[in-house]
Amino acid sequence: MSANRNLIQTGVSAPAVILSVQDTGVTMNDNPQARIRLRVMPMYGEPFEAEVTQIIGRFQIGMVVPNGAVMVKYDPNDKTKVAIESFSPAPAAQ
């Protein structure tokens, strides 16, 4: 948790798209933990894929879906270190 907190403070921001979501079977305070595969699209440089394991708040579960948008922070020196900064709501159905 402290590594993610540090990464959120010092990492580089980038948008990302959720490629897949897998339940790990772990919960904390009734909130599920998920393994989330992302395609990170930095402003400078090539897009890359990363995997994040994170506790998801009950009110955020509906936002953690394939093709969903998130903002992440990543370590440009080690792109395996990625933390989700925020989830974007799914677009409204028309």
Side-chain angles (χ1 to χ4, degrees):
M1 288 293 239
S2 67
N4 274 355
R5 223 174 282 125
N6 187 43
L7 191 56
I8 293 293
Q9 292 176 352
T10 63
V12 175
S13 288
V17 174
I18 298 171
L19 300 176
S20 65
V21 180
Q22 181 180 18
D23 187 348
T24 65
V26 174
T27 59
M28 180 182 289
N29 297 326
D30 293 324
N31 295 314
Q33 182 185 62
R35 187 171 298 111
I36 305 166
R37 188 98 185 129
L38 302 166
R39 173 169 296 284
V40 180
M41 295 167 286
M43 184 178 288
Y44 303 104
E46 294 294 315
F48 63 94
E49 290 188 13
E51 188 172 273
V52 174
T53 300
Q54 180 170 323
I55 299 292
I56 306 299
R58 288 180 291 151
F59 294 112
Q60 296 173 319
I61 290 172
M63 294 183 235
V64 185
V65 295
N67 296 318
V70 295
M71 285 301 293
V72 300
K73 292 271 186 121
Y74 70 95
D75 181 341
N77 298 316
D78 183 355
K79 292 181 180 170
T80 64
K81 295 180 181 175
V82 176
I84 294 176
E85 184 175 28
S86 64
F87 295 95
S88 297
Q94 295 183 355

